[in-house]
Amino acid sequence: DAKTTQPNSMESNEEEPVHLPCNHSTISGTDYIHWYRQLPSQGPEYVIHGLTSNVNNRMASLAIAEDRKSSTLILHRATLRDAAVYYCILRDYGGSEKLVFGKGTKLTVNP
Amino acid sequence: AAGVIQSPRHLIKEKRETATLKCYPIPRHDTVYWYQQGPGQDPQFLISFYEKMQSDKGSIPDRFSAQQFSDYHSELNMSSLELGDSALYFCASSPGGASWADTQYFGPGTRLTVL
């Protein structure tokens, strides 16, 4: 499984945008970039995924670098409910369906 | 909307005892995954099933076994429990048959404490 690198922790203020980076320099052409988050005392939750183009959904946006060696999860207006550990995960097309969780980023949102 | 159901939510066992964790996937989801999350750790994949057949296996101890039944619910059986088995156990389900792209929907977890 390709490796991802994320900062251990980040802080944000409520109602401000948050940019969570992820480096995946060894990404292959068939790796999709998935983001999950885990709120305190809950199971992980899907956020977004993409391959090459930037993606938007109701929860967040995913910006993917042109060389695909990095990506950024964007929360447009952080709320207290967004405080969680965010995981960037690569999933190979046609490969195993399991999620391989690395060391995610713990996001703290200040009121 | 219906979510993944796990039971029990909390379980306390003694060393060397056995435990059975149950998972009820979202209706019409045919794939189930089990993950283990130790204290302060990230979730680790244990095993998965698609259409009642084991589809992938991770770092699951030989003392653990699991299966998926005809109604798609799954059970994780853990024997000869050790202190190190104390963890949160998450079940996740997805539709469409074990695909890399499918979103996995996680349950609330079962907290197992081994004394």
Side-chain angles (χ1 to χ4, degrees), chain A residues 13-76:
Chain A
N13 295 320
E14 204 174 4
E15 298 192 6
E16 290 185 355
V18 181
H19 291 234
L20 297 163
C22 180
N23 287 318
H24 29 78
S25 58
T26 59
I27 191 171
S28 73
T30 53
D31 281 330
Y32 276 66
I33 303 159
H34 288 246
W35 284 81
Y36 280 73
R37 71 180 185 181
Q38 186 173 22
L39 279 64
S41 303
Q42 294 189 30
E45 174 187 37
Y46 168 81
V47 179
I48 201 167
H49 78 277
L51 180 64
T52 56
S53 304
N54 295 345
V55 183
N56 300 295
N57 67 20
R58 63 175 181 81
M59 289 181 69
S61 296
L62 177 60
I64 301 172
E66 198 168 330
D67 63 4
R68 301 207 327 123
K69 293 184 184 299
S70 65
S71 61
T72 302
L73 179 70
I74 302 166
L75 306 179
H76 296 285

Side-chain angles (χ1 to χ4, degrees), chain B:
Chain B
V4 175
I5 297 171
Q6 291 188 246
S7 68
R9 294 293 309 278
H10 301 273
L11 190 59
I12 299 175
K13 291 287 185 178
E14 300 278 343
K15 279 195 306 183
R16 291 180 288 279
E17 286 190 323
T18 61
T20 297
L21 279 54
K22 297 185 179 183
C23 169
Y24 298 86
I26 292 171
R28 292 179 294 282
H29 282 197
D30 52 16
T31 307
V32 168
Y33 312 81
W34 286 96
Y35 293 84
Q36 177 191 57
Q37 186 172 27
Q41 303 294 312
D42 304 298
Q44 299 296 313
F45 171 75
L46 290 177
I47 196 166
S48 61
F49 292 87
Y50 165 59
E51 283 290 346
K52 293 152 279 184
M53 298 288 291
Q54 180 181 307
S55 55
D56 199 359
K57 192 172 181 179
S59 50
I60 182 170
D62 292 340
R63 300 178 289 108
F64 293 7
S65 65
Q67 61 181 125
Q68 185 180 31
F69 295 86
S70 57
D71 63 351
Y72 296 107
H73 95 272
S74 178
E75 294 183 4
L76 178 65
N77 298 293
M78 310 160 70
S79 63
S80 301
L81 287 169
E82 302 174 356
L83 295 178
D85 296 329
S86 294
L88 267 170
Y89 291 83
F90 291 106
C91 171
S93 73
S94 67
S99 163
W100 58 272
D102 285 336
T103 296
Q104 293 186 19
Y105 297 84
F106 284 77
T110 293
R111 182 174 295 280
L112 172 67
T113 302
V114 181
L115 302 176

